[in-house]
Coordinates of all heavy atoms in Angstrom, one line a residue:
Chain E
Y311 N 23.9 -6.5 22.5 CA 23.2 -5.8 23.6 C 23.6 -6.4 24.9 O 24.0 -7.5 25.1 CB 21.7 -6.0 23.4 CG 21.0 -5.2 22.3 CD1 20.9 -5.7 21.1 CD2 20.4 -4.0 22.6 CE1 20.3 -5.0 20.0 CE2 19.8 -3.2 21.6 CZ 19.7 -3.8 20.3 OH 19.1 -3.0 19.4
Q313 N 22.4 -6.7 29.1 CA 21.2 -6.6 30.0 C 21.7 -6.8 31.4 O 22.2 -7.9 31.8 CB 20.2 -7.6 29.6 CG 18.9 -7.5 30.5 CD 17.9 -8.5 30.1 OE1 18.3 -9.7 29.7 NE2 16.6 -8.2 30.1
L321 N 22.2 -1.2 23.8 CA 23.1 -1.5 22.7 C 24.6 -1.2 23.0 O 24.9 -0.1 23.5 CB 22.7 -0.6 21.5 CG 23.5 -0.9 20.2 CD1 23.2 -2.2 19.6 CD2 23.3 0.2 19.2
K324 N 27.2 -2.2 16.9 CA 26.4 -2.8 15.8 C 27.3 -2.8 14.6 O 28.2 -2.0 14.4 CB 25.2 -2.0 15.5 CG 25.5 -0.5 15.1 CD 24.2 0.3 15.0 CE 24.6 1.8 14.6 NZ 23.5 2.7 14.7
F326 N 26.7 -2.8 10.4 CA 25.8 -2.8 9.3 C 26.6 -3.1 8.0 O 26.1 -3.8 7.1 CB 25.1 -1.4 9.1 CG 24.0 -1.2 10.1 CD1 23.6 -2.2 11.0 CD2 23.3 0.0 10.1 CE1 22.5 -2.1 11.9 CE2 22.2 0.1 11.0 CZ 21.8 -0.9 11.9
I372 N 12.2 -6.5 7.1 CA 10.8 -6.9 7.0 C 10.2 -6.3 5.8 O 10.3 -5.1 5.6 CB 10.1 -6.5 8.3 CG1 10.6 -7.2 9.5 CG2 8.6 -6.7 8.2 CD1 10.1 -6.7 10.8
G374 N 7.2 -5.4 5.0 CA 6.3 -4.3 5.2 C 7.0 -3.1 5.9 O 6.3 -2.1 6.1
G375 N 8.2 -3.2 6.2 CA 8.9 -2.1 6.9 C 9.4 -2.5 8.3 O 8.7 -3.1 9.1
G376 N 10.7 -2.2 8.5 CA 11.3 -2.6 9.8 C 12.3 -3.6 9.7 O 12.7 -4.0 8.6
N377 N 12.8 -4.0 10.9 CA 14.0 -4.9 11.0 C 13.7 -5.8 12.1 O 13.6 -5.4 13.3 CB 15.2 -4.1 11.1 CG 16.4 -4.9 10.6 OD1 17.0 -5.8 11.3 ND2 16.8 -4.6 9.4
K378 N 13.6 -7.1 11.9 CA 13.3 -8.1 13.0 C 14.6 -8.6 13.5 O 15.4 -9.1 12.8 CB 12.5 -9.2 12.4 CG 12.3 -10.4 13.2 CD 11.5 -11.5 12.4 CE 11.6 -12.8 13.1 NZ 10.9 -13.8 12.2
L379 N 14.7 -8.5 14.8 CA 15.9 -9.0 15.5 C 15.7 -10.4 16.0 O 14.7 -10.7 16.6 CB 16.3 -8.1 16.7 CG 16.7 -6.6 16.4 CD1 17.1 -5.9 17.6 CD2 17.9 -6.6 15.4
F381 N 17.6 -13.0 18.5 CA 18.6 -13.0 19.5 C 19.2 -14.4 19.8 O 18.5 -15.4 19.6 CB 18.0 -12.5 20.8 CG 17.7 -11.0 20.9 CD1 16.6 -10.5 20.3 CD2 18.7 -10.1 21.4 CE1 16.4 -9.1 20.3 CE2 18.5 -8.8 21.4 CZ 17.3 -8.2 20.9
Chain T
Y177 N 9.4 3.2 13.5 CA 9.3 1.8 13.5 C 9.2 1.3 14.9 O 10.0 1.7 15.8 CB 10.4 1.1 12.8 CG 10.6 1.4 11.3 CD1 11.2 2.6 10.9 CD2 10.0 0.6 10.4 CE1 11.3 2.9 9.6 CE2 10.1 1.0 9.0 CZ 10.8 2.1 8.7 OH 10.9 2.5 7.3
Y179 N 8.2 -1.9 17.8 CA 8.3 -3.3 18.0 C 8.0 -3.8 19.4 O 8.1 -3.0 20.4 CB 9.8 -3.8 17.8 CG 10.4 -3.4 16.5 CD1 11.0 -2.1 16.4 CD2 10.4 -4.2 15.4 CE1 11.6 -1.7 15.2 CE2 11.0 -3.8 14.2 CZ 11.6 -2.5 14.1 OH 12.2 -2.2 12.9
Y181 N 8.9 -7.2 21.8 CA 9.6 -8.5 22.0 C 9.2 -9.0 23.4 O 8.7 -8.2 24.3 CB 11.1 -8.2 22.0 CG 11.7 -7.9 20.7 CD1 11.6 -6.5 20.3 CD2 12.3 -8.7 19.9 CE1 12.2 -6.1 19.1 CE2 12.8 -8.4 18.6 CZ 12.8 -7.1 18.3 OH 13.3 -6.7 17.0
Q183 N 10.5 -11.8 26.7 CA 11.6 -12.7 27.2 C 11.0 -13.5 28.4 O 10.7 -12.9 29.5 CB 12.8 -11.9 27.7 CG 14.0 -12.8 28.2 CD 15.1 -11.9 28.6 OE1 14.9 -10.8 29.1 NE2 16.3 -12.4 28.5
K188 N 15.5 -16.8 25.8 CA 16.0 -15.7 24.9 C 14.9 -14.7 24.6 O 13.8 -15.0 24.8 CB 16.6 -16.3 23.6 CG 15.5 -16.9 22.7 CD 16.1 -17.2 21.3 CE 16.9 -18.4 21.2 NZ 17.3 -18.8 19.8
S194 N 6.1 -6.2 14.6 CA 6.6 -4.9 14.2 C 5.5 -4.1 13.7 O 4.5 -4.6 13.1 CB 7.7 -5.1 13.2 OG 7.3 -5.8 12.0
Y196 N 4.5 -0.4 11.5 CA 5.1 0.8 10.7 C 3.9 1.3 9.9 O 3.1 0.6 9.4 CB 6.2 0.3 9.8 CG 6.6 1.3 8.8 CD1 7.3 2.5 9.2 CD2 6.3 1.1 7.4 CE1 7.6 3.5 8.2 CE2 6.7 2.1 6.5 CZ 7.4 3.3 6.9 OH 7.7 4.2 6.0
S201 N 3.6 -4.8 10.3 CA 4.4 -5.2 9.1 C 4.9 -6.6 9.2 O 5.0 -7.3 8.2 CB 5.7 -4.3 9.0 OG 6.4 -4.2 10.2
F237 N 9.3 -6.3 26.2 CA 10.0 -5.1 25.8 C 9.5 -4.4 24.6 O 9.2 -5.0 23.6 CB 11.5 -5.5 25.5 CG 12.3 -6.0 26.7 CD1 12.6 -7.4 26.7 CD2 12.8 -5.1 27.6 CE1 13.3 -7.8 27.8 CE2 13.5 -5.6 28.7 CZ 13.8 -7.0 28.8
E244 N 14.4 2.1 8.9 CA 14.1 0.7 8.8 C 15.3 -0.2 9.3 O 15.0 -1.1 10.0 CB 13.9 0.4 7.3 CG 13.5 -1.0 7.1 CD 13.0 -1.2 5.7 OE1 13.8 -0.9 4.7 OE2 11.9 -1.6 5.5
A245 N 16.5 0.2 9.0 CA 17.6 -0.6 9.4 C 18.4 0.0 10.6 O 19.5 -0.4 10.9 CB 18.5 -0.9 8.2
T247 N 19.3 1.3 14.5 CA 19.4 0.7 15.8 C 18.0 0.7 16.4 O 17.3 1.8 16.4 CB 20.4 1.4 16.7 OG1 21.6 1.3 16.1 CG2 20.4 0.8 18.1
Q248 N 17.6 -0.4 17.1 CA 16.4 -0.4 17.9 C 16.7 -0.1 19.3 O 17.6 -0.7 19.9 CB 15.7 -1.8 17.8 CG 15.2 -2.1 16.4 CD 14.5 -3.4 16.2 OE1 14.0 -4.0 17.2 NE2 14.6 -4.0 15.0

Side-chain angles (χ1 to χ4, degrees):
Chain E
Y311 283 87
Q313 183 181 34
L321 180 73
K324 62 188 179 188
F326 282 0
I372 295 169
N377 205 280
K378 168 184 166 182
L379 295 183
F381 286 84
Chain T
Y177 298 83
Y179 307 86
Y181 292 81
Q183 184 182 31
K188 68 168 80 173
S194 60
Y196 169 69
S201 52
F237 293 106
E244 184 170 56
T247 298
Q248 291 180 30

